[in-house]
């Protein structure tokens, strides 16, 4: 019998389900195998099991759901092979700072010394370094506490995925219930550092803010807008931000920094003080020197990401929550008297073209995008055109992948929709083929997702990057002959092939009025502009 005040004894399985209820983790994204069956036995009626047809789909759906809700999501995978299949999207979840708790089945403890079938050798080491923490508990009775610890670590800033490997015979073993515990994770930046930053910004004649994905993730958007308006300073979006950084219709929004050192240096050259809020300094995709690092303008970085703050670069790092730090910084600043910068000129309305131009397609989506809808994007070769013609004006209105790894966008869109949001998924044809099984989830759940396949017949980013690197005649770039509408119908999703402007407009209107999914396969001009020609 337990002593007074001690949690009552129960089984590992009962203790884990009780813990998951208290943590709000009652939706499980998974692809099951034999080592997961003891967990799935007598499935509770108050839990939802979202079957995914591939492990990578399960992780990306959990990622999208977690980022849409701001809470951790639970993903259940099958032994080492399941983690192996999911690693691409687990890496993306890590770069996205998505709080995903991954539980993985392991073979029975008694069999592990004999290298059994489906046994994961050194299971906790397998997903590293692309999880914040991973463990295979030494004792069965430690499993509930390990999951509680994993959840707490996943939700600590910077958030990210964690993993717990659980031998299949642990679930029936006795264990104690985990006592409830509350975690308050926000920490304010150092006051002396804030004062130094405020002094530099107040003394500057031409300050600029560079905003990253942490702003939206922390719910610090209104605080950043207030700071920018107080400074009357332009705001640039950081390279490869996985969320909206600033309302793109705000008069202080000045555009997007490309992931090229030379272009970033040129873009920041006119300014005499730089505050980077919630982003690395800086994310690059091509080699070169960034003049901003050697320039006279002081650079300050406010972030919760210690690894990002420690990276080689320039400036002063202020570690701490943007939610707390940005209002504190604003309180130290006087109202600026300088005239506000000239607004960014609007993008000219693109012509439809023949074949259809991708720019026109994105403008058409923008015209029909309903309030509150979330754009989930994985069309990296078209990102500059998306940024010009599909501006995101609402906090929480945009998600993409920070890693560059393909196969995240389509299942992530399903996870966002499962969280109760209407979604427009803008997915390149190359990206579609990585995790196309997620269409089945859209059909089974009648999820309100309009999938727009930007079909340029291949890997457009490779075409563009071939130009950057001076490469000609590379094989493996063209992908002709894929019938996305036929594939979608095979999974139970209605679909339209849209070759004309009228067909696109009609299908968008239809899809956004449905209470379920619709896929649009839109062939577009295969020509891709240079991705890093200039800041835009």
């Amino acid at each position: 019998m337990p002593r007074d005040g001690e949690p009552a004894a129960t089984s590992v399985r009962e203790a884990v389900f009780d813990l998951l209820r208290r943590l709000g983790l009652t939706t499980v994204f998974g692809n099951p195998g034999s080592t997961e069956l003891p967990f799935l036995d007598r499935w509770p009626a108050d839990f939802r099991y979202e079957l995914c047809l591939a492990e990578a789909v399960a992780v990306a759906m959990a990622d999208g759901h977690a980022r849409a809700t701001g809470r951790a999501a639970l993903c259940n995978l099958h032994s080492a092979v399941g983690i192996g299949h999911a690693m691409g999207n687990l890496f993306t979840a890590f770069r996205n700072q998505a709080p995903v708790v991954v539980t993985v089945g392991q073979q029975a403890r008694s069999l592990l010394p004999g290298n059994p079938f489906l046994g994961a050798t050194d299971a906790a080491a397998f997903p590293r370094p692309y999880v914040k923490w991973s463990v295979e508990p030494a004792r069965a009775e430690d499993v509930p506490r390990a999951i509680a610890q994993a959840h707490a670590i996943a939700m600590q800033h910077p958030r990210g995925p964690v993993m717990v490997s659980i031998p299949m015979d642990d679930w029936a073993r006795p264990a104690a219930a985990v006592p409830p515990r509350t975690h308050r994770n926000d920490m304010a930046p150092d006051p002396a550092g804030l004062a130094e930053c405020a002094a530099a910004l107040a003394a500057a004649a031409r300050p600029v803010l560079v905003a990253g994905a942490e702003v939206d993730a922390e719910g610090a958007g209104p605080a950043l807008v207030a700071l920018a308006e107080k400074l009357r300073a332009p705001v640039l979006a950081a390279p490869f931000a996985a969320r909206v950084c600033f309302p793109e219709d705000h008069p202080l929004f000045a555009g997007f920094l490309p992931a090229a050192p030379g272009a970033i240096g040129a873009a920041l050259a006119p300014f005499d003080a730089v505050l980077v809020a919630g982003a690395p300094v800086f994310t690059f995709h091509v080699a070169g020197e960034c003049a901003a690092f050697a320039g006279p303008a002081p650079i300050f970085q406010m972030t919760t990401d210690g690894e990002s703050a420690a990276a080689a670069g320039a400036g002063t790092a202020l570690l701490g929550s943007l939610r707390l730090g940005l209002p504190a910084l604003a309180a130290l600043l006087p109202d600026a008297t300088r005239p506000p910068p000239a607004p960014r000129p609007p993008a000219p309305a693109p012509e439809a073209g023949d074949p259809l131009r991708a720019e026109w397609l994105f403008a058409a989506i923008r015209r029909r995008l309903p309030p509150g809808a979330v754009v989930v994007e994985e069309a990296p070769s078209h990102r500059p055109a998306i940024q010009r013609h599909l501006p995101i004006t609402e906090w929480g209105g945009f998600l993409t992948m920070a890693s560059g790894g393909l196969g995240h966008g389509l299942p992530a869109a399903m996870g966002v929709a499962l969280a109760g949001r209407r979604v427009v998924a803008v997915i390149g044809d190359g990206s579609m083929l990585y995790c196309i099984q997620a269409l089945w989830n859209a059909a089974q759940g009648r999820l309100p997702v309009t999938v727009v396949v930007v079909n340029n017949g291949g890997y457009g980013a490779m075409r563009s990057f071939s130009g950057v690197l001076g490469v000609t005649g590379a094989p493996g770039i063209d992908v002709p002959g894929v019938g996305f509408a036929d594939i979608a119908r095979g999974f139970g999703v209605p679909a339209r092939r849209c070759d004309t402007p009228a067909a696109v407009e009609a299908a968008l209107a239809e899809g956004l009025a449905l209470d379920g999914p619709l896929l649009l396969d839109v062939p577009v001009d295969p020509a891709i502009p240079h991705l890093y020609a200039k800041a835009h």
Side-chain angles (χ1 to χ4, degrees):
M1 294 292 292
R3 298 190 182 105
D4 290 344
E6 289 184 348
T10 183
S11 70
V12 168
R13 183 178 182 279
E14 291 166 345
V16 166
F17 276 112
D18 177 66
L19 171 67
L20 296 178
R21 286 185 182 96
R22 287 190 280 105
L23 296 176
L25 298 178
T26 56
T27 295
V28 181
F29 300 90
N31 182 267
S34 56
T35 55
E36 289 68 59
L37 283 174
F39 170 59
L40 303 177
D41 181 34
R42 295 165 288 130
W43 189 249
D46 58 329
F47 278 69
R48 173 180 184 142
Y49 188 87
E50 182 68 22
L51 172 62
C52 304
L53 302 187
E55 288 90 344
V57 172
V59 171
M61 281 192 72
D63 174 324
H65 195 269
R67 291 199 287 158
T69 61
R71 304 187 304 272
L74 181 62
C75 181
N76 180 237
L77 302 180
H78 178 44
S79 190
V81 291
I83 282 285
H85 291 160
M87 274 302 296
N89 278 339
L90 195 62
F91 167 64
T92 294
F94 183 77
R95 293 297 185 210
N96 288 346
Q97 299 185 357
V100 179
V101 178
V102 180
T103 59
V104 182
Q106 168 67 296
Q107 187 53 275
R109 288 181 186 269
S110 62
L111 297 179
L112 290 179
N115 193 27
F117 187 70
L118 288 178
T121 303
D122 203 357
F126 190 18
R128 294 174 182 160
Y130 299 120
V131 289
K132 291 183 65 180
W133 185 72
S134 62
V135 68
E136 184 173 278
R139 306 179 305 167
E141 54 264 44
D142 297 328
V143 168
R145 288 182 180 273
I147 293 174
Q149 185 174 354
H151 176 266
I153 293 171
M155 289 297 290
Q156 288 170 1
H157 295 298
R159 293 173 173 175
V162 293
M163 191 206 80
V164 181
S165 172
I166 306 171
M168 63 185 298
D169 52 347
D170 282 5
W171 294 103
R173 296 289 299 275
V178 179
R181 190 178 183 195
T182 299
H183 297 268
R184 301 292 186 187
N185 293 321
D186 282 350
M187 294 175 286
D190 174 56
L194 288 175
E196 180 186 350
C197 180
L201 292 173
R206 299 175 306 281
V208 65
L209 307 182
V210 177
E214 288 179 53
V215 174
D216 190 38
E218 281 199 41
L224 182 64
V225 171
L227 176 64
E229 291 175 347
K230 190 167 192 177
L231 284 168
R232 295 190 175 185
V235 181
L236 291 161
F240 288 126
R243 306 178 72 122
V244 61
C245 300
F246 199 77
E248 294 167 23
D249 60 346
H250 194 285
L252 291 176
F253 182 67
F256 299 83
L257 288 176
I264 286 180
L268 296 181
F271 303 105
D272 57 354
V274 182
L275 171 62
V276 181
V281 183
F282 295 95
T283 300
F284 298 129
H285 193 200
V286 295
E289 298 296 326
C290 183
F293 292 166
I299 298 175
F300 294 85
Q301 178 194 24
M302 188 183 297
T303 180
T304 60
D305 189 344
E307 182 179 354
S308 170
T316 300
L318 304 173
L319 275 175
S321 164
L322 303 178
R323 187 179 66 83
L324 301 177
L326 290 174
L329 178 61
L332 297 174
L333 288 164
D335 291 330
T337 57
R338 70 179 68 86
R344 184 178 182 225
E351 296 182 0
D354 185 15
L356 287 174
R357 295 178 60 207
E359 293 86 348
W360 178 88
L361 172 62
F362 305 139
I365 295 171
R366 174 60 190 154
R367 289 193 298 272
R368 295 202 175 262
L369 192 68
V374 180
V375 174
V376 177
E377 176 263 311
E378 194 179 292
S381 59
H382 294 290
R383 191 161 296 159
I386 292 170
Q387 290 167 343
R388 287 295 283 164
H389 299 288
L390 183 49
I392 306 300
T393 61
E394 298 179 5
W395 296 109
F398 176 76
L399 291 177
T400 187
M401 43 81 180
S403 67
L406 302 183
H408 166 268
L410 185 67
M414 306 313 162
V416 175
L418 200 64
R421 304 292 297 272
R422 175 166 287 280
V423 177
V424 176
V426 180
I427 313 291
D429 55 323
S431 294
M432 278 291 296
L433 295 170
Y434 281 76
C435 281
I436 202 165
Q437 305 96 322
L439 291 172
W440 183 82
N441 295 88
Q444 293 297 307
R446 291 196 55 80
L447 300 177
V449 180
T450 302
V451 179
V452 181
V453 182
V454 189
N455 189 346
N456 60 16
Y459 300 123
M462 293 293 290
R463 293 174 185 149
S464 177
F465 222 68
S466 293
V468 173
L469 299 177
V471 172
T472 60
I477 292 177
D478 296 328
V479 186
V482 180
F484 290 101
D486 293 334
I487 295 172
R489 294 185 194 107
F491 280 115
V493 173
R496 309 284 181 264
R497 170 88 171 184
C498 303
D499 299 286
T500 66
V504 170
E505 296 278 13
L508 284 173
E510 178 187 4
L512 292 170
L514 289 174
D515 61 358
L518 181 71
L519 180 139
L520 285 62
D521 182 6
V522 186
V524 299
D525 188 335
I528 299 293
H530 191 314
L531 289 177
Y532 302 122
K534 58 182 179 179
H536 52 281

